[in-house]
């Protein structure tokens, strides 16, 4: 920070140049990349190098929970810094990490009593997949033929090869097909777009029926079903029918298959309860948590496991789980995570959520009738506004994927930062967002969509 203070404000070529030429950004076409550099943040606002403020409408990609630069989390990290910054979790430990593990077990659905630390969401999924696989080889009634995973259509579980193997977003995953292990994918259990001939109220039963047919045929070879509970984020904020999650739990039990819940995105209050599984009183066999774990401060992830699974790894050295991440359980990150959990209590975060969720719903309501809006959906503090593919008079919107970006560009000028999923505009601000800020976020989005509409009116008919 001190070094930066003597830098001139504005488009500083000393930062923007290397940001373009040296830094290779994630999920970004670098040929088109425009530097956008945040130097500071304050509560729900990001501040760029020119001093412009933007509301963080997507919680810095699901991570931020209580706002940026929160004094409680800052103090916890500083306090930990003065004790120890890193202790390996390979055969040893430290008090902060132990305290966090115990606290997570208390909060998590019943039966998840063991905590394995890693560094990011994809790793927490890799851990769950490998634990499930090894479990079936070492449990009391070994079933070494159980090697297969069942995943949902258009699932997203991270970008390492194991997590990509259970993923189903063609745009991200197709390229790596030859490197992946086999997984069976169901149709995506989309509550608002059931298949032809299936009524919306029958969608849950329909999707569970499909999963049951797959299990009937393959349960003997299947190690686990992996699911993003309630909402599939990267698939486009696809929301499951009520009862689907509980149905998956029932079927996995009935067919003797483990259930892995990937709450990397939806955990920590995002859907209105601490964990999404709690909305359908589901306790999975393995639970993956990451993004919001440290309140959006430091990289940390966990995989929680049931005692039966943990016990299968006890005994002689060959039964050990030979897997680890060097920084797993890092005390600084653990201190941030504990502080985040403290804030949930001190600020009564979950208790305040219903009012914010309802306000968001009210703000979004008028957008349902906008001619460029195909769908508005919401689950807790996750909302999606999906744009139509063409206007009522049959004009196509700018080439697929561009309309969302255009709307977000307009919204940025109104002081709100969004990151779209192609033509799906996503709203998932920090849980600490005020109702006034929610209104500003939705207003900026609506203004952006209006600007897109007027741009279309003035554009000559496009061919694309
Ligand atoms: C983001 C995400 C991951 C991957 O987490 P990383 O920390 O980016 O590796 C896994 N699962 C879900 C559901 C996610 O949204």
């Amino acid at each position: 920070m001190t070094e930066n203070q003597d830098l001139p404000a504005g488009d500083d070529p000393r930062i923007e140049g290397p940001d373009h030429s040296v830094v290779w950004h994630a999920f970004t076409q670098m040929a088109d990349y425009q530097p956008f550099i945040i130097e500071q943040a304050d509560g729900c606002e990001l501040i760029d190098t020119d001093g412009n403020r933007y509301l963080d409408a997507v919680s810095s990609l699901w991570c931020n929970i209580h706002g940026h630069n929160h004094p409680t989390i800052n103090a916890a990290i500083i306090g930990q810094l003065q004790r120890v910054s890193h202790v390996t979790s390979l055969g040893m430990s430290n008090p902060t990490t132990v305290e966090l593990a115990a606290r997570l077990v208390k909060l998590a659905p019943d039966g998840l009593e063991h905590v394995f630390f890693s560094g990011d969401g994809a790793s927490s999924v890799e851990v769950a997949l490998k634990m499930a696989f090894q479990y079936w080889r070492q449990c009391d009634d070994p079933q070494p033929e159980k090697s297969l995973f069942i995943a949902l259509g258009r699932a997203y579980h991270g970008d390492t090869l194991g997590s990509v193997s259970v993923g189903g977003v063609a745009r991200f995953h197709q390229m790596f097909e030859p490197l992946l292990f086999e997984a069976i994918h169901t149709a995506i259990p989309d509550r608002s777009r059931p298949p032809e001939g299936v009524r919306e109220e029958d969608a849950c039963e329909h999707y569970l029926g499909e999963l049951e047919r797959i299990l009937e045929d393959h349960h003997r070879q299947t190690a686990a079903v992996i699911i993003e509970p309630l909402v599939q984020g990267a698939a486009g904020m696809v929301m499951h029918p009520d009862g689907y999650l509980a149905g998956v739990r029932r079927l996995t039990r009935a067919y003797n298959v483990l259930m892995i819940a990937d709450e990397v995105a939806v955990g920590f209050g995002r859907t209105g309860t601490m964990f999404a599984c709690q909305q359908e009183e589901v306790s999975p066999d393995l639970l993956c948590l990451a993004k919001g774990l440290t309140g959006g401060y430091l990289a940390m992830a966990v995989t929680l496991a049931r005692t039966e699974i943990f016990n299968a790894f006890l005994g002689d050295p060959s039964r050990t789980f030979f897997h680890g991440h060097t920084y797993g359980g890092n005390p600084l990150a653990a201190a941030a995570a504990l502080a985040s959990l403290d804030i949930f209590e001190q600020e009564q975060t979950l208790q305040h959520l219903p009012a914010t969720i309802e306000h968001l719903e009210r703000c979004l309501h008028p957008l349902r009738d906008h001619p460029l809006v195909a769908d508005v959906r919401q689950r807790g503090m996750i909302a999606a506004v999906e744009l139509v593919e063409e206007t009522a008079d049959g004009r196509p919107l700018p080439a697929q994927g561009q309309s969302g970006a255009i709307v977000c560009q307009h919204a940025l000028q109104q002081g709100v930062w969004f990151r779209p999923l192609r033509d799906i505009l996503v709203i998932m601000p920090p849980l600490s967002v005020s109702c006034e800020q929610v209104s500003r976020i939705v207003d900026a989005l609506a203004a952006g969509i209006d600007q897109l509409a007027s741009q279309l009116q003035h554009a000559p008919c496009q061919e694309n």
Side-chain angles (χ1 to χ4, degrees), residues 179-201:
L179 301 178
L180 308 180
F181 59 74
E182 197 195 335
I184 296 182
H185 285 269
T186 69
I188 190 164
D190 185 342
R191 77 173 178 207
S192 41
R193 292 186 180 87
E196 282 276 319
V198 177
R199 289 178 310 175
E200 220 169 298
E201 60 268 35

Side-chain angles (χ1 to χ4, degrees), residues 62 119-123 125 156-159 228 233-234 262-265 290-291:
W62 301 98
D120 53 68
S123 301
V125 170
Y156 179 76
H157 297 291
D159 300 318
E228 293 161 82
D262 174 358
E263 292 217 25
V264 168
K291 288 178 172 129

